[in-house]
Amino acid sequence: MYLNSIFADPERTARLMDIAKTSLQPMLEGAIMNTIPLTIISFIVGIILAVLTALARISQGKVLRGIAGVYVSAIRGTPLLVQLFIIFYGLPNVGITLDPFLSAVIGFSLSIGAYASEIIRAAILSIPKGQWEAGYSIGMTYAQALKRIILPQAARVSVPPLSNSFISLVKDTSLASLVLVTEMFRRAQEIASRNYEFLLVYTEAALIYWVICFFLSVLQQYMEKRLDRYV
Amino acid sequence: MYLNSIFADPERTARLMDIAKTSLQPMLEGAIMNTIPLTIISFIVGIILAVLTALARISQGKVLRGIAGVYVSAIRGTPLLVQLFIIFYGLPNVGITLDPFLSAVIGFSLSIGAYASEIIRAAILSIPKGQWEAGYSIGMTYAQALKRIILPQAARVSVPPLSNSFISLVKDTSLASLVLVTEMFRRAQEIASRNYEFLLVYTEAALIYWVICFFLSVLQQYMEKRLDRYV
Amino acid sequence: MISIKGLHKQFDQLEVLKGIDLEVGKGKVVVVIGPSGSGKTTMLRCLNVLEIPTKGIISIEGNSLDFSKNVPKKSIAVFRRLTGMVFQNYNLFPHRTALENVMEGPVVVKGMEKSKAREKAAALLQKVGLGDKMDYFPSQLSGGQQQRVGIARALAMEPEVMLFDEPTSALDPELVGEVLRVMKDLAQEGMTMIVVTHEMRFAREAADEVIFMDGGVVVERNKPEEIFINPKEERTRKFLNMIQ
Amino acid sequence: MISIKGLHKQFDQLEVLKGIDLEVGKGKVVVVIGPSGSGKTTMLRCLNVLEIPTKGIISIEGNSLDFSKNVPKKSIAVFRRLTGMVFQNYNLFPHRTALENVMEGPVVVKGMEKSKAREKAAALLQKVGLGDKMDYFPSQLSGGQQQRVGIARALAMEPEVMLFDEPTSALDPELVGEVLRVMKDLAQEGMTMIVVTHEMRFAREAADEVIFMDGGVVVERNKPEEIFINPKEERTRKFLNMIQ
Amino acid sequence: ACGKDDKADKNKKTDNKTAEKTENDLLAKVKDDGKILIGTEGTYPPFTFHDTNGNLTGFDVDLAEEVAKRIGVKAEFKETQWDAMFAGLDAKRFDMIANEVGIRPDRQEKYDFSDPYITSAAVLVTNKSNTKVKSFEDIKGLNSAQSLTSNYGDMAKKYGANLVGVDGFQQAVELLAQNRVDVTINDKIAYLDYTKQKPDAPIKIVATGEDASSSGFMFRKKSDTLVDSVNKALKDMVDDGTYKKISEKWFGVDVLK
Ligand SMILES: Nc1ncnc2c1ncn2[C@@H]1O[C@H](COP(=O)(O)OP(=O)(O)OP(=O)(O)O)[C@@H](O)[C@H]1O
Ligand SMILES: Nc1ncnc2c1ncn2[C@@H]1O[C@H](COP(=O)(O)OP(=O)(O)OP(=O)(O)O)[C@@H](O)[C@H]1O
Ligand SMILES: [Mg+2]
Ligand SMILES: [Mg+2]
């Protein structure tokens, strides 16, 4: 019926085609200027945070473990939207006023840091104890064994679940509009709020997301293959 | 500064306390009537879908594998918001008009189905081939070995990442307001839009989410322990 | 009676079994030896149809499969029950107790009542000397105990022939004895057995015949007392020297 | 010279080592035998300080650690380099080639230049007979080859004493020989070695002394020709009967 | 299509006919159903929002309810976000939108509107401490927080401000209070409601626009029959004073003109 009605009404068809075409450029702009950089920066910062958190959670220090545990629980337990809200609109109340983009990076990095730390923690624990011991037995310190022996192997098992997080992040960045970052989905909303074809424009945005995520899953496959080289 | 201003101004403090108190009930109502049932139903349906998808993706049949692959890629690659939008506002255009709650369940289940299928697929593949063979060698069929031998063991390794998904789902259900389901966060928005105390009310909602997620992570720990019994 | 005729197995490029012919009489015990990669495991796995042979005919007590044709899944499942397999690394079900491991086949595959299956499993565990470990999980058992559970699990399906793939090679030296003892008892009770092992004591004491495989073919077969002392083939002699 | 005095190790409730005293002269080869759970592995791990002993003194070539007091992490790291450990299941780094496995210690721990470390690692791999496998990953090597890489990796740190924990027990019977040969060469070159193994051939041919442990203590120690033929203790005799 | 399909085709045709009928005569459909489905945000006080008991209320809600009553059907409100409201109307999930939607030429291209039922002025709002901005002309080059969904954004642009996109008035005020933007242009009535709720908000009106904008109920195109009867109901309400009563209940004044 929908399809029918579109093709039955050439004028409407032309209008929709036109909207689809003209909205592509601003959306891509939003993707390239904001969505993609935001995703990449937040993911990198988040992963570093995640490794540190994972190490804290498996460490001996009770205080360290406690802090890391509360952090993970609080971030996983509350909506990202509210976290961004607090960072951007709440912190000024205690005298900290942050840039939109910086706020977004902090929010998303904290989020990735918490979720990915669980993945990395599990991955580190999955490396046989013998690997630590082999490192120690040739005189390595904890840090050396971690960096040279354990993390490279943990990377292998974490690639698929971390890709899940990465791919989710791409789409979660749409929340950045809340803190005034004009990312792709915001552009879509702007466009649709002018021509009221929300369904069409949103679907178009979804397709762009899909393309980005497709590249990421190709990257995932490449990484998996590369890291599987020695198995 | 913010805290200062609150305590410096007893009237404002009282107002905030009052809002916090009176908004608790409608939010809890939203949580109990919609957020929680929606989460639980979608998770259960999603997990069933995920197991089937995972099996399809590791099966021999090329067509089956292809369909499952496209499904996972499409759902992971596009925003949940747009998926819900299409289900609720797009499908009527082709003659399918679904209930709000049903639409939400379908949307969230499809989402869990895709993400969790990757987890379950990895878990199934992580069970040593010898376990399949031991099952076959006492005469089991594929289905029997899967049900009795492989899935119970795969469950063990999947509990932590599936909990990640479950906990994310709790908060993602806030998107259900888009399809007219009055879940908890919608209640929070209703309240805050009346009294303009967004930061306060959203933070309160976040705390309720946190409590729910906390129970889930206790459940996770219990499951992990139970399934670890035999290790 | 088991008979294998012209058994071939190819993995991609690699032909692992290059035409095996073998007959094992009812109640006989055959020990298979040979260097790593010679195809011993592959032959056992073909008998349990865990690998589908490229061609050849296997028959056990009148039931036979001809792999030159396409063999339906159903007949494979039926045929599989004629053989019981004991794996090198046990492959017990880690999420089930010893008793449940043994019950699993009768209950799930044969549809036996649970209470009856439990009785039967208990009797079998008793027989392999684990009457007091029935409710232990595999992780709580020593290697030798695990392997005996593995034997009981295979026996519970009442197979015509038991296949053992290096059942003691993953065990500590002092635990080897307990498993071999159970196997010797089985042999004495008249169970037909094909055993891949390098335990010469077992071969000498329990085998009716020893088969030496190399490069995917049977090189030599003879009584144990003959083959160990006086191998006919140069290859056999060289191999025996190396492992003794 | 290695000396162990009053070595105790307790895990929770379980006292595994109950006072071990042992001296091994420079260049001597000691073989340790004993039943499973008697504490052989634990003793080796204490020497490599992979386990912290509950009490006791270990000294190697003048450096000594007294575990009755708190031992700082730093001295552990230093002490650890005096011993080279070879594990039962190799524990090679799977993500590094054979050459990289051997280079890892010199480069990371000793800060040696890469080119120099590569030269040294290549020479060691040559020595253990793997000159042609340097760029293989562990997964591409047989068990015997992996274990020889493990030996080379430990040797690269130039330890005073080499510790072997059942280095051949995970190997196929025909691969055992190649590892034992490398170990015998090492012994002949004057390396001090403590070897947990049940390979009697090795004990007879290469050991200066055999130690029988049981229940966390040294029960008997003697020259191999003595202990195998004429053990003084009843427990030793019983154990030797069981494994032979 | 051979003979066998003919019958099916015929069936389809008749089906289509009834469908067309109800499509063109939305009023008949609404009356058949005994209810009119009304899309609204429910988070835009004082027009459409929830009172402290959690009930949906507001000026637009009251008006829509009265209109429904006069048509002789039940008003059934469906609450969702702005974007979903439009999509819902397109997807025939709602028959009408009651959300203070401004009547604008671009909207009229795609949708039908009722006669206007409210007229409101645009106000220029700044932080209380701001002394520089005194008129609309002063906002050139300044940052103005504007919602995507209102026509005030176009106005801000016209006067040369840089637009900062926000989701609603509340967010704009928050940004003003924190001095993250300089101004916002918005609906005077919405401003008044906000300052009533938060009298200590550090914002003030510095200018009021001359040309006022008006809002109405919004419909899909070709909803003529329904639009006509809604207009009639509105007119009756104005005539018999019901409209005035509702207007004064919410604003204390008559906001029709
Ligand atoms: N699934 C497989 N795919 C490819 N090659 C295989 C596969 N299984 C076994 N092979 C190869 O077949 C050959 C014979 O293997 P098999 O395990 O039967 O030897 P074996 O005599 O049991 O040796 P071992 O004493 O080491 O157990 C080996 O070269 C092995 O690499
Ligand atoms: N980390 C540990 N925690 C608790 N108990 C342990 C630990 N490591 C070893 N044990 C126990 O200490 C005892 C001695 O173990 P050990 O591995 O030293 O014996 P072993 O002589 O090497 O035996 P095997 O021949 O089986 O290798 C065993 O009972 C073992 O269960
Ligand atoms: Mg084999
Ligand atoms: Mg040991």
Side-chain angles (χ1 to χ4, degrees):
Chain A
M1 270 160 75
Y2 183 55
L3 300 176
N4 265 356
S5 75
I6 288 182
F7 293 115
D9 182 351
E11 210 173 293
R12 178 153 168 72
T13 313
R15 175 183 144 87
L16 291 181
M17 295 292 282
D18 187 52
I19 288 173
K21 236 182 285 164
T22 53
S23 54
L24 198 59
Q25 200 217 325
M27 281 203 255
L28 286 179
E29 226 175 82
I32 291 164
M33 301 291 293
N34 282 308
T35 300
I36 292 174
L38 190 56
T39 305
I40 292 175
I41 296 173
S42 304
F43 192 71
I44 292 171
V45 177
I47 287 293
I48 295 170
L49 197 58
V51 171
L52 296 178
T53 307
L55 291 178
R57 293 204 69 185
I58 57 181
S59 78
Q60 304 294 333
K62 270 194 188 163
V63 180
L64 210 59
R65 235 169 37 212
I67 294 173
V70 171
Y71 158 58
V72 171
S73 163
I75 298 285
R76 290 210 309 168
T78 58
L80 186 46
L81 182 144
V82 178
Q83 292 160 19
L84 287 170
F85 217 87
I86 292 175
I87 292 170
F88 194 73
Y89 297 105
L91 288 186
N93 289 320
V94 293
I96 304 169
T97 303
L98 301 167
D99 241 23
F101 196 83
L102 183 60
S103 303
V105 167
I106 291 175
F108 293 120
S109 300
L110 285 175
S111 175
I112 288 287
Y115 282 96
S117 79
E118 287 286 273
I119 294 166
I120 291 171
R121 182 171 69 102
I124 290 176
L125 292 177
S126 80
I127 304 300
K129 230 177 119 215
Q131 289 292 315
W132 285 101
E133 297 189 337
Y136 291 148
S137 84
I138 55 173
M140 286 185 173
T141 60
Y142 175 83
Q144 287 170 333
L146 183 75
K147 189 179 139 208
R148 307 274 312 175
I149 312 301
I150 304 303
L151 287 184
Q153 294 183 58
R156 216 191 111 243
V157 280
S158 346
V159 165
L162 286 182
S163 309
N164 255 354
S165 303
F166 202 173
I167 285 174
S168 296
L169 177 62
V170 174
K171 296 163 296 156
D172 285 345
T173 54
S174 67
L175 286 174
S177 66
L178 193 80
V179 299
L180 314 187
V181 176
T182 316
E183 41 62 59
M184 179 171 87
F185 204 71
R186 180 73 185 185
R187 283 286 162 87
Q189 287 175 316
E190 285 173 10
I191 295 163
S193 69
R194 254 180 275 122
N195 57 35
Y196 308 101
E197 297 292 351
F198 286 94
L199 193 59
L200 172 77
V201 178
Y202 283 10
T203 304
E204 197 175 347
L207 291 177
I208 298 177
Y209 278 122
W210 197 358
V211 171
I212 298 174
C213 293
F214 177 78
F215 277 110
L216 286 182
S217 65
V218 169
L219 183 69
Q220 169 186 355
Q221 271 164 29
Y222 169 78
M223 296 268 290
E224 278 182 32
K225 212 170 254 167
R226 220 193 116 74
L227 290 166
D228 262 359
R229 197 171 37 127
Y230 55 78
V231 182
Chain B
M1 270 161 76
Y2 184 57
L3 299 176
N4 265 357
S5 73
I6 288 182
F7 293 116
D9 181 350
E11 210 174 294
R12 178 154 166 71
T13 314
R15 175 184 145 85
L16 291 181
M17 294 293 280
D18 186 52
I19 289 174
K21 235 182 287 164
T22 53
S23 53
L24 199 59
Q25 198 218 326
M27 280 203 254
L28 287 179
E29 223 175 84
I32 291 164
M33 302 290 294
N34 281 309
T35 301
I36 293 175
L38 191 56
T39 305
I40 293 174
I41 296 173
S42 303
F43 192 71
I44 293 171
V45 177
I47 288 293
I48 294 170
L49 197 58
V51 171
L52 296 178
T53 307
L55 291 178
R57 294 204 70 186
I58 58 181
S59 77
Q60 304 295 334
K62 270 192 186 163
V63 181
L64 210 58
R65 235 168 39 214
I67 293 173
V70 171
Y71 158 58
V72 171
S73 164
I75 298 286
R76 291 209 308 168
T78 59
L80 186 46
L81 181 144
V82 178
Q83 292 161 18
L84 286 170
F85 222 87
I86 292 174
I87 291 171
F88 196 72
Y89 300 108
L91 289 186
N93 290 320
V94 293
I96 304 170
T97 304
L98 300 167
D99 242 23
F101 196 82
L102 182 61
S103 302
V105 167
I106 291 175
F108 292 119
S109 301
L110 285 175
S111 175
I112 288 288
Y115 281 96
S117 79
E118 288 286 273
I119 294 166
I120 292 172
R121 182 169 70 103
I124 290 177
L125 292 177
S126 80
I127 305 299
K129 232 178 117 215
Q131 289 292 316
W132 285 101
E133 296 188 337
Y136 290 150
S137 83
I138 54 172
M140 285 186 175
T141 59
Y142 175 83
Q144 286 170 334
L146 183 74
K147 190 179 138 208
R148 307 273 314 176
I149 311 302
I150 304 303
L151 287 183
Q153 293 183 60
R156 216 190 111 245
V157 281
S158 347
V159 166
L162 286 183
S163 312
N164 255 356
S165 303
F166 203 173
I167 284 174
S168 296
L169 176 62
V170 174
K171 296 163 295 158
D172 285 344
T173 55
S174 66
L175 286 175
S177 66
L178 195 81
V179 299
L180 315 188
V181 176
T182 315
E183 41 63 58
M184 178 171 88
F185 205 71
R186 168 76 193 181
R187 284 286 161 87
Q189 287 175 319
E190 286 173 9
I191 295 162
S193 69
R194 175 175 67 239
N195 55 33
Y196 299 103
E197 295 293 352
F198 282 87
L199 198 57
L200 172 77
V201 178
Y202 281 11
T203 305
E204 198 176 344
L207 291 177
I208 297 177
Y209 278 121
W210 197 357
V211 171
I212 299 175
C213 293
F214 177 77
F215 277 111
L216 285 182
S217 65
V218 169
L219 183 70
Q220 169 186 355
Q221 271 163 30
Y222 169 79
M223 296 268 290
E224 278 182 32
K225 212 170 255 166
R226 217 193 117 75
L227 289 166
D228 262 359
R229 197 170 37 127
Y230 55 80
V231 182
Chain C
M1 182 153 108
I2 306 164
S3 104
I4 305 173
K5 275 188 206 128
L7 187 68
H8 283 75
K9 175 68 194 179
Q10 183 127 10
F11 289 113
D12 299 323
Q13 308 294 358
L14 187 72
E15 189 166 33
V16 176
L17 298 183
K18 299 174 181 162
I20 303 271
D21 295 284
L22 190 64
E23 299 212 335
V24 180
K26 197 169 169 66
K28 295 289 181 220
V29 176
V30 172
V31 162
V32 181
I33 61 174
S36 183
S38 58
K40 309 178 295 293
T41 295
T42 306
M43 184 183 74
L44 282 199
R45 289 168 60 83
C46 285
L47 281 170
N48 199 221
V49 212
L50 291 173
E51 303 289 356
I52 308 289
T54 322
K55 64 184 185 211
I57 300 174
I58 315 177
S59 49
I60 297 180
E61 299 298 326
N63 305 49
S64 94
L65 292 181
D66 183 350
F67 292 98
S68 317
K69 305 167 209 156
N70 216 337
V71 179
K73 271 196 183 162
K74 196 135 177 227
S75 15
I76 289 178
V78 171
F79 193 88
R80 215 171 247 155
R81 294 204 223 156
L82 299 172
T83 57
M85 185 90 168
V86 177
F87 299 90
Q88 179 172 13
N89 45 0
Y90 334 135
N91 284 346
L92 294 187
F93 306 133
H95 57 306
R96 303 240 186 272
T97 63
L99 194 74
E100 290 167 346
N101 261 277
V102 182
M103 286 168 63
E104 190 72 15
V107 170
V108 175
V109 178
K110 287 197 174 165
M112 193 184 280
E113 260 172 52
K114 273 212 172 166
S115 58
K116 234 177 119 190
R118 180 169 297 121
E119 233 168 77
K120 177 173 192 155
L124 281 168
L125 284 173
Q126 202 79 48
K127 180 171 165 176
V128 298
L130 292 173
D132 53 337
K133 302 278 179 190
M134 303 210 235
D135 295 326
Y136 284 52
F137 283 102
S139 59
Q140 301 168 313
L141 298 174
S142 77
Q145 291 166 340
Q146 288 189 56
Q147 192 56 293
R148 286 183 281 155
V149 175
I151 295 173
R153 181 176 66 178
L155 287 174
M157 295 303 290
E158 301 179 338
E160 296 292 332
V161 47
M162 289 280 286
L163 310 173
F164 295 84
D165 190 10
E166 311 206 26
T168 61
S169 71
L171 297 179
D172 280 342
E174 357 140 34
L175 303 179
V176 170
E178 61 194 43
V179 173
L180 291 184
R181 211 165 305 125
V182 168
M183 289 170 61
K184 271 183 226 162
D185 288 350
L186 267 185
Q188 259 154 24
E189 286 169 21
M191 175 59 82
T192 314
M193 293 163 64
I194 302 181
V195 184
V196 175
T197 184
H198 293 108
E199 283 293 333
M200 295 309 153
R201 275 182 295 170
F202 178 81
R204 272 195 214 101
E205 291 171 27
D208 295 298
E209 203 172 32
V210 173
I211 286 172
F212 174 63
M213 278 180 70
D214 195 6
V217 295
V218 173
V219 174
E220 186 169 353
R221 54 187 296 186
N222 215 327
K223 297 224 155 59
E225 49 273 26
E226 285 294 316
I227 207 165
F228 290 134
I229 295 158
N230 191 18
K232 282 197 220 95
E233 301 286 328
E234 182 54 26
R235 275 200 276 175
T236 318
R237 185 192 320 272
K238 249 187 161 164
F239 176 75
L240 288 170
N241 274 342
M242 199 149 71
I243 67 166
Q244 270 170 336
Chain D
M1 188 160 98
I2 307 164
S3 103
I4 305 174
K5 275 191 205 124
L7 187 68
H8 283 74
K9 175 68 194 179
Q10 183 128 10
F11 290 114
D12 299 322
Q13 309 294 358
L14 187 72
E15 189 165 35
V16 176
L17 298 182
K18 300 174 180 161
I20 303 271
D21 295 286
L22 190 66
E23 299 212 336
V24 179
K26 199 171 167 65
K28 295 290 183 223
V29 176
V30 171
V31 162
V32 181
I33 61 174
S36 183
S38 58
K40 309 179 296 292
T41 296
T42 306
M43 183 183 75
L44 283 198
R45 289 168 59 83
C46 285
L47 282 171
N48 198 223
V49 213
L50 291 174
E51 304 289 356
I52 308 289
T54 321
K55 63 184 184 210
I57 301 175
I58 315 177
S59 50
I60 297 178
E61 299 298 328
N63 305 50
S64 93
L65 292 182
D66 183 350
F67 292 97
S68 316
K69 305 166 209 158
N70 214 338
V71 179
K73 270 196 183 163
K74 197 133 178 231
S75 14
I76 289 178
V78 172
F79 193 88
R80 212 170 248 155
R81 295 203 221 156
L82 300 172
T83 55
M85 183 90 169
V86 177
F87 299 90
Q88 178 173 14
N89 46 358
Y90 332 135
N91 283 347
L92 294 186
F93 307 133
H95 57 305
R96 303 240 185 273
T97 63
L99 194 74
E100 290 167 346
N101 261 278
V102 182
M103 286 168 63
E104 191 72 15
V107 171
V108 175
V109 179
K110 289 197 173 164
M112 192 184 280
E113 259 173 52
K114 273 213 171 166
S115 58
K116 234 178 119 190
R118 180 170 295 118
E119 233 168 75
K120 177 176 190 152
L124 281 167
L125 285 173
Q126 202 78 48
K127 181 173 163 176
V128 298
L130 291 172
D132 54 336
K133 303 279 180 189
M134 303 210 234
D135 295 326
Y136 284 51
F137 284 102
S139 58
Q140 301 168 313
L141 298 174
S142 77
Q145 291 165 340
Q146 288 189 56
Q147 193 55 295
R148 285 182 281 156
V149 175
I151 294 172
R153 182 176 67 179
L155 287 174
M157 295 303 290
E158 299 178 339
E160 296 292 333
V161 48
M162 288 282 284
L163 310 172
F164 295 84
D165 190 10
E166 311 206 26
T168 61
S169 72
L171 297 178
D172 280 342
E174 358 139 34
L175 303 178
V176 170
E178 60 194 43
V179 174
L180 291 183
R181 210 165 306 126
V182 169
M183 289 170 61
K184 272 183 226 162
D185 289 349
L186 267 184
Q188 257 152 26
E189 287 168 21
M191 176 59 82
T192 315
M193 292 162 65
I194 302 181
V195 185
V196 175
T197 183
H198 291 109
E199 283 293 332
M200 296 308 153
R201 275 182 297 171
F202 177 81
R204 271 195 215 100
E205 292 170 27
D208 296 298
E209 203 172 29
V210 173
I211 286 173
F212 174 64
M213 277 179 71
D214 196 5
V217 296
V218 173
V219 175
E220 184 169 357
R221 53 187 296 186
N222 214 327
K223 296 223 157 60
E225 48 274 27
E226 285 295 316
I227 207 165
F228 291 135
I229 294 159
N230 192 17
K232 283 199 218 91
E233 300 287 329
E234 182 54 28
R235 274 200 276 176
T236 319
R237 188 194 317 272
K238 247 187 162 165
F239 176 75
L240 287 170
N241 274 343
M242 198 149 71
I243 67 167
Q244 271 170 336
Chain E
C2 358
K4 210 180 171 190
D5 284 336
D6 267 345
K7 207 173 156 195
D9 268 349
K10 232 181 247 160
N11 275 341
K12 222 171 161 188
K13 249 174 222 157
T14 51
D15 274 351
N16 271 349
K17 229 177 235 164
T18 51
E20 250 166 50
K21 196 175 141 206
T22 54
E23 211 165 88
N24 289 336
D25 191 355
L26 193 52
L27 179 65
K29 187 195 153 263
V30 164
K31 282 198 161 155
D32 274 358
D33 296 348
K35 63 184 180 190
I36 181 166
L37 303 179
I38 303 168
T40 190
E41 279 186 296
T43 53
Y44 188 22
F47 309 106
T48 161
F49 68 105
H50 288 255
D51 63 22
T52 43
N53 297 322
N55 298 321
L56 181 68
T57 186
F59 174 66
D60 286 48
V61 172
D62 279 359
L63 270 191
E65 239 158 15
E66 180 65 28
V67 163
K69 205 168 88 191
R70 283 167 193 252
I71 296 176
V73 295
K74 216 174 123 256
E76 193 168 318
F77 289 94
K78 302 283 180 186
E79 296 176 59
T80 187
Q81 281 104 281
W82 177 266
D83 47 4
M85 235 167 47
F86 285 85
L89 189 61
D90 290 349
K92 303 194 174 116
R93 285 201 176 266
F94 320 133
D95 302 315
M96 172 178 116
I97 302 287
N99 201 68
E100 193 70 3
V101 182
I103 301 173
R104 286 164 39 178
D106 62 337
R107 285 181 189 149
Q108 279 167 320
E109 247 176 57
K110 199 180 163 204
Y111 299 103
D112 282 349
F113 280 88
S114 70
D115 294 334
Y117 55 70
I118 187 171
T119 309
S120 175
V123 289
L124 179 63
V125 181
T126 67
N127 193 306
K128 264 189 180 149
S129 63
N130 190 324
T131 53
K132 276 186 233 139
V133 178
K134 294 205 170 60
S135 71
F136 284 98
E137 280 70 30
D138 295 341
I139 69 172
K140 193 174 165 118
L142 298 183
N143 289 326
S144 181
Q146 297 302 152
S147 158
L148 296 174
T149 57
S150 73
N151 23 358
Y152 304 115
D154 296 340
M155 207 168 150
K157 213 189 237 163
K158 204 181 79 195
Y159 285 109
N162 305 319
L163 294 199
V164 175
V166 295
D167 289 326
F169 183 49
Q170 122 78 22
Q171 220 180 334
V173 173
E174 201 76 47
L175 291 171
L176 268 184
Q178 295 171 358
N179 276 317
R180 285 172 141 161
V181 296
D182 303 299
V183 298
T184 183
I185 299 176
N186 217 301
D187 187 299
K188 185 173 180 187
I189 295 172
Y191 172 88
L192 292 175
D193 182 73
Y194 184 86
T195 46
K196 197 167 98 195
Q197 290 293 325
K198 298 188 83 173
D200 50 356
I203 53 172
K204 62 177 179 190
I205 293 181
V206 294
T208 304
E210 296 110 52
D211 31 41
S213 66
S214 46
S215 304
F217 296 122
M218 191 174 84
F219 306 83
R220 269 188 307 283
K221 280 268 184 235
K222 295 185 191 162
S223 301
D224 310 0
T225 52
L226 183 61
V227 176
D228 289 348
S229 59
V230 167
N231 280 340
K232 183 171 176 304
L234 277 174
K235 188 167 178 300
D236 290 350
M237 285 159 64
V238 172
D239 289 349
D240 66 15
T242 315
Y243 174 86
K244 194 158 177 254
K245 230 167 68 193
I246 295 174
S247 173
E248 280 173 350
K249 170 182 168 197
W250 289 106
F251 309 113
V253 290
D254 189 325
V255 291
L256 187 56
K257 284 275 147 57

